[in-house]
Amino acid sequence: MKKIISVLLLGITIFTFAFSSPALAADTAAGKAIFTANCASCHAGGKNLVNAAKSLKKADLEKYDMYSEEAILAQVTKGKGAMPAFQGKLQPAQIENVAAYVFEQAGNEWK
C-alpha cells in the first residue's frame, strides 16, 4: 500500500512540474520591449498616470497584494478598472514576459 501511494505521489509531482510553466522561462528583455510599446504610456518608470496611488513600485504592489508574477500576469491578461485587458492583443508568452519584466523592475525599484 505504501508503495502504491509513493508511486502515485511521484506521478503527481512529475505531472505537476511537466505541465507548469516555470517563472524563470520568461524573457525580461523581450518583456521590456513589449512594455515600452504597450504599457509605458501609462506606466513609464513604474508610475501610474491614471491612479498615482497604484504605481508599479514594489511598495504599492505589496500594498495591493499584487507583488507576484502571477498577480501581475493576471492583471495584464484580464485588465482591471481603467487598465485594459491584453488577452487577445498580446500572445500569452508576451504577457508572461511583460509580467516578469514588471516584477523584476519593481524589485529593483525601477532603476
Side-chain angles (χ1 to χ4, degrees):
M1 184 67 168
K2 275 185 161 181
K3 196 173 192 176
I4 293 173
I5 292 173
S6 295
V7 170
L8 285 173
L9 288 175
L10 178 63
I12 291 170
T13 302
I14 291 170
F15 181 82
T16 300
F17 285 110
F19 292 101
S20 65
S21 58
L24 298 176
D27 181 348
T28 56
K32 179 180 181 178
I34 296 162
F35 181 90
T36 300
N38 294 278
C39 313
S41 60
C42 291
H43 294 291
K47 297 176 182 164
N48 184 333
L49 298 178
V50 177
N51 183 350
K54 292 187 175 183
S55 76
L56 300 179
K57 306 282 181 159
K58 183 179 179 182
D60 286 341
L61 292 175
E62 288 176 332
K63 179 179 179 180
Y64 294 103
D65 199 28
M66 294 294 295
Y67 188 62
S68 71
E69 284 189 53
E70 294 79 17
I72 296 166
L73 180 77
Q75 180 87 10
V76 175
T77 302
K78 299 174 185 174
K80 186 175 180 184
M83 182 171 161
F86 283 89
Q87 185 174 23
K89 296 176 186 174
L90 296 175
Q91 297 297 317
Q94 291 175 305
I95 294 173
E96 289 176 19
N97 292 342
V98 168
Y101 172 73
V102 169
F103 183 76
E104 177 182 85
Q105 289 302 300
N108 292 329
E109 298 300 327
W110 289 88
K111 294 179 182 172

